Amino acid sequence: MTGQDHVTVNDPHGPVNNGAGSQNVFYGVGADWMIRKGVEPLRIVREDRVRLADRFVPPLGYRVAADRLEKPGSVVLLEAPPGSGRRAAAITLLHRLGEDGGADEAGVRFEELPTTDKDEPPLAPGDGDRFLLDLSGIADEEAYAKAQRRLTVHRSQIREAGAHMVVVLPSGMEHAHAPDLEPHTVTLGRPRGVAVVTRYLRMDRMTFRSVDLGSADLQRLCDRSPMRELTRFAGLVRTARDSGRFGADFAGWLDQAMHAVTDRAGDVGRQVVTVRTVPERALLLAAAVFEEARADTVYEAWRGLLRMVRHEEEATTELGRTDFGERLAALGIERDPDRRLRFGRLAYADAVRTYFWANFPGLRDDFRDWVAHAAGLSGLTTDDRVNIVVRFGERSLAVGRPDHLFDLVVRWADSATAASCDARAVAALELGLSHERFGGWFRRRMYECVRSGPLSDGLVRVLTAACLQSLGATHPDQAMVRLHYLAVRKGEAAREAREALLDLTGRDTRLYRLLIGRVRGRARREPRGAEPHLHLLTKLLGSERAPDPPPWPDLFLGWETVFSQPPTELWNPLVSSWLNAVASDSTREMALGVMVGATRGHAAALHRLYAIAFDWARTAHHSSRAGVAALFWQHIDHAQYARTESAKRAGAGPRTTEEAR
């Protein structure tokens, strides 16, 4: 079992652990590819679930939960202490569901549900769908009571649909559990720590014997540490091997990793005590945040940090001061042949960053402002920038300041020029969205942002990219809601959001149908501001956007909304797209009757459909067009006849007394 419970390190004298090794996750932003290093992603995307399942060590109670989850319509609640890998167990249970060993079936949803329902689409589960509801972050009884009421509704929906759901219960709230939850609750134990470490090392193709893991220090680490700490430890062994700087044998790599997780915080604490001057301390932090960047760039960042913390320049000229290389050497910072800076000890930079954020809380605002500027230095590569964003973000989230990270998202996005999408802002936002403790905070903040007043085009583009690339994979319904708000704004960036929304829903018939219903509702509830929603709805209802087979009932309702209110100029491209579709594919002929029916027999609407078809048919001399138009007109004639007959019947009611005379 891997560790998926959030761990915050605040004690600079304890083990420093802040991640799970050097796993790489790729994100596309425009034409650039960014590599986000050292970040534990929200494990809901299939590739991440596969990786997790390969390394998973089942704890006591896992088999009981798996057996219960097999039944269609089942809901299993997991109760386990923090640090036991309870979230990993929940995801693996859902991933391995069924006899296929976890292979996704076509059309089956695998999603994490939000803990709140503010303006979110209804759950609407389908047969075989799989859902995760993580309530582990709830800490007060009122919020837990509300969550349990929503859980009751979800359970009923899951049962009726034949879907499956796993719920991670909060720790320390056992006294507030609703009695009806008890029969569905499974208590999980803690897996053997050494088994978790062994599994990870084997998956990383390490060659070793069981006796190599038998030291007393390692046994204590395995027995006491949360699962997240153990996965990071295994990742550090791999990093030591892959770096080529710490020998060529397993014992040496293991020793380096042990020192990294047990000694680094104390080492940094002792070094900072001995380094008393502001310039040296600032250089230590700058090198830790900008590790692996070129020396000249780190120098610029260092000088910027000194200005940010309002350090007075030394009276002597630079030639009279200690030179940069001597300062680096005194702090244990090395320059490699490419003039890139790094610390000589494994994971030392991580420990330095942790120390400064934990022990200088009054400077966190200054650190934020410094990174906001320094992450744009010209000497940085794209990888350098993303590394800096991740390092700053990890520390801000670890000390409970997600607002600092989102503030940088807005700053960088607002400063973007032309039609660019700031890669730093996207990386920062995706880091926040992927965080287990604060992912919900960032989703809510995005929701508040897209519903607010004016936004810069740069911020709209960043929010769009995050929805399409990150949120769309983990919480597609929420991505759809946020993109809808962006898509009905004005400007080029809003047009891009509209295309992103159509692209997202075009991959999933369920999302497509949900969006039709959502946009219809907004167009009807907001008559004064209906036009942008109608424009979006018209694009959504075009034949090129409809899935195969088309969801005719939803298309009918959408067309009915478009045909019931202005502007009528939207009709022509919409109707023509379906006439073209029928001309090239006879299986879509049903569109003709459904579209005519959506007019509800209104004479003006029928006349307009007739005229659109007439203009469409005469633009090309193809017999197929003439035939389609004739069939369409036939549907229109039937609708007009039915309307006339209905009117006659309505006028042929009982005669009045006066008429009888």
Side-chain angles (χ1 to χ4, degrees):
M1 185 194 282
T2 59
Q4 299 299 315
D5 299 300
H6 178 75
V7 176
T8 303
V9 180
N10 291 315
D11 180 4
H13 302 292
V16 175
N17 300 285
N18 65 340
S22 57
Q23 178 185 350
N24 295 337
V25 184
F26 297 87
Y27 294 87
V29 180
D32 298 323
W33 285 97
M34 303 186 301
I35 303 177
R36 196 178 78 185
K37 300 180 179 178
V39 181
E40 192 70 20
L42 184 68
R43 294 189 181 280
I44 202 76
V45 181
R46 175 163 171 74
E47 309 90 82
D48 298 320
R49 299 196 322 256
V50 169
R51 184 178 185 277
L52 172 62
D54 286 343
R55 290 159 173 76
F56 184 76
V57 176
L60 187 67
Y62 177 86
R63 189 68 258 165
V64 174
D67 290 342
R68 291 190 185 182
L69 193 63
E70 285 284 346
K71 183 181 177 182
S74 56
V75 175
V76 173
L77 288 71
L78 299 183
E79 195 169 60
S84 61
R86 51 193 173 171
R87 180 181 171 89
I91 294 173
T92 305
L93 280 166
L94 291 165
H95 178 74
R96 290 179 174 174
L97 187 63
E99 298 178 355
D100 59 0
D104 284 328
E105 302 170 21
V108 171
R109 295 163 66 188
F110 193 120
E111 296 175 18
E112 180 172 2
L113 300 179
T115 55
T116 63
D117 57 356
K118 193 173 183 180
D119 200 45
E120 303 298 347
L123 178 58
D127 183 26
D129 287 347
R130 309 169 197 177
F131 299 97
L132 168 68
L133 179 59
D134 189 349
L135 304 178
S136 60
I138 293 178
D140 66 88
E141 293 185 17
E142 182 178 352
Y144 187 40
K146 185 176 180 180
Q148 288 183 91
R149 288 193 293 271
R150 292 191 65 226
L151 175 56
T152 300
V153 176
H154 288 333
R155 280 176 50 205
S156 176
Q157 294 171 312
I158 294 291
R159 183 172 59 251
E160 292 175 8
H164 308 266
M165 182 165 71
V166 177
V167 182
V168 181
L169 296 175
S171 181
M173 302 287 288
E174 293 80 1
H175 63 283
H177 288 346
D180 61 330
L181 297 183
E182 291 302 324
H184 306 278
T185 302
V186 176
T187 301
L188 299 182
R190 183 185 187 279
R192 291 178 59 245
V194 70
V196 173
V197 171
T198 299
R199 182 67 178 167
Y200 266 74
L201 295 177
R202 296 291 187 205
M203 292 302 298
D204 287 329
R205 294 183 170 84
M206 295 281 183
T207 301
F208 61 94
R209 301 166 300 168
S210 298
V211 69
D212 295 332
L213 302 179
S215 73
D217 287 343
L218 181 56
Q219 287 298 322
R220 279 193 295 272
L221 183 75
C222 290
D223 291 342
R224 300 174 183 176
S225 298
M227 294 299 107
R228 179 185 293 278
E229 308 294 312
L230 298 184
T231 60
R232 179 175 184 262
F233 170 75
L236 287 171
V237 178
R238 182 184 66 244
T239 300
R241 177 195 65 184
D242 296 345
S243 70
R245 297 192 291 133
F246 302 105
D249 63 283
F250 179 78
W253 305 328
L254 195 70
D255 183 61
Q256 284 291 327
M258 281 296 298
H259 281 296
V261 299
T262 57
D263 300 337
R264 290 295 177 256
D267 292 343
V268 171
R270 287 185 289 273
Q271 183 178 24
V272 174
V273 167
T274 60
V275 175
R276 306 301 300 181
T277 69
V278 174
E280 271 62 40
R281 287 185 173 183
L283 180 55
L284 189 65
L285 177 58
V289 173
F290 284 74
E291 188 179 34
E292 298 177 353
R294 295 191 179 278
D296 288 355
T297 306
V298 178
Y299 178 86
E300 287 186 69
W302 169 50
R303 302 303 296 179
L305 178 57
L306 288 174
R307 289 191 295 272
M308 190 61 65
V309 298
R310 296 162 290 281
H311 174 68
E312 297 291 335
E313 287 284 343
E314 297 177 43
T316 59
T317 66
E318 186 163 358
L319 280 174
R321 305 172 199 161
T322 305
D323 68 63
F324 189 52
E326 188 178 345
R327 291 180 190 269
L328 293 174
L331 294 173
I333 302 168
E334 304 171 349
R335 273 188 277 201
D336 69 12
D338 293 329
R339 295 186 57 77
R340 292 185 176 275
L341 299 189
R342 66 191 181 196
F343 287 86
R345 287 176 281 184
L346 181 66
Y348 198 82
D350 294 349
V352 170
R353 296 191 296 270
T354 299
Y355 184 92
F356 274 90
W357 255 265
N359 291 282
F360 294 92
L363 291 177
R364 289 173 189 162
D365 288 352
D366 290 330
F367 294 162
R368 175 201 58 199
D369 296 340
W370 167 59
V371 169
H373 170 74
L377 292 173
S378 59
L380 297 170
T381 66
T382 300
D383 276 4
D384 291 335
R385 296 181 202 280
V386 175
N387 283 336
I388 292 162
V389 170
V390 168
R391 291 163 185 167
F392 169 80
E394 286 178 333
R395 290 301 93 221
S396 296
L397 297 175
V399 297
R401 295 304 305 265
D403 55 309
H404 276 186
L405 187 57
F406 195 83
D407 182 58
L408 292 193
V409 171
V410 175
R411 289 197 207 184
W412 288 329
D414 285 348
S415 65
T417 57
S420 63
C421 183
D422 194 285
R424 299 167 301 174
V426 176
L429 185 51
E430 291 188 333
L431 174 62
L433 289 170
S434 72
H435 197 270
E436 289 175 23
R437 180 181 172 192
F438 289 112
W441 186 95
F442 279 89
R443 294 194 297 274
R444 288 190 296 275
R445 190 68 188 85
M446 285 178 67
Y447 177 73
E448 294 164 1
C449 197
V450 299
R451 295 180 72 243
S452 65
L455 301 177
S456 69
D457 278 1
L459 185 53
V460 170
R461 289 190 171 97
V462 168
L463 294 169
T464 297
C467 282
L468 194 60
Q469 297 161 193
S470 181
L471 199 59
T474 60
H475 297 75
D477 292 23
Q478 295 189 43
M480 180 194 71
V481 168
R482 286 147 185 77
L483 283 173
H484 181 200
Y485 279 110
L486 296 173
V488 295
R489 290 173 174 265
K490 295 180 180 178
E492 177 61 21
R495 186 197 63 78
E496 295 167 15
R498 195 155 50 246
E499 289 302 311
L501 175 60
L502 294 171
D503 182 40
L504 176 69
T505 56
R507 308 171 192 169
D508 187 326
T509 300
R510 184 189 64 84
L511 281 181
Y512 178 81
R513 297 176 62 190
L514 276 176
L515 183 58
I516 289 177
R518 179 179 174 81
V519 180
R520 281 184 63 244
R522 290 306 172 103
R524 290 178 177 276
R525 289 197 303 271
E526 304 170 11
R528 291 187 178 180
E531 188 164 337
H533 296 284
L534 288 172
H535 276 275
L536 174 60
L537 186 58
T538 303
K539 287 186 173 293
L540 185 65
L541 296 171
S543 64
E544 65 279 1
R545 297 291 183 183
D548 191 18
W552 299 115
D554 301 277
L555 292 175
F556 172 85
L557 293 172
W559 288 332
E560 181 187 44
T561 301
V562 173
F563 295 156
S564 67
Q565 53 192 307
T568 55
E569 61 264 22
L570 297 176
W571 297 22
N572 200 314
L574 174 60
V575 175
S576 296
S577 75
W578 280 98
L579 293 175
N580 286 329
V582 175
S584 60
D585 183 359
S586 61
T587 64
R588 296 201 162 194
E589 190 177 291
M590 189 174 179
L592 304 179
V594 174
M595 205 169 343
V596 170
T599 66
R600 294 291 186 184
H602 295 301
L606 291 171
H607 292 325
R608 185 163 186 81
L609 292 187
Y610 189 97
I612 291 172
F614 182 81
D615 290 340
W616 173 80
R618 71 177 182 174
T619 56
H621 300 290
H622 293 301
S623 58
S624 61
R625 282 204 169 194
V628 170
L631 186 57
F632 194 40
W633 293 329
Q634 187 177 351
H635 282 290
I636 294 172
D637 290 341
H638 284 316
Q640 288 176 323
Y641 176 78
R643 182 175 183 274
T644 301
E645 289 300 307
S646 177
K648 287 179 180 178
R649 288 193 298 272
R655 291 182 298 173
T656 64
T657 305
E658 192 63 34
E659 290 172 330
R661 291 176 182 169

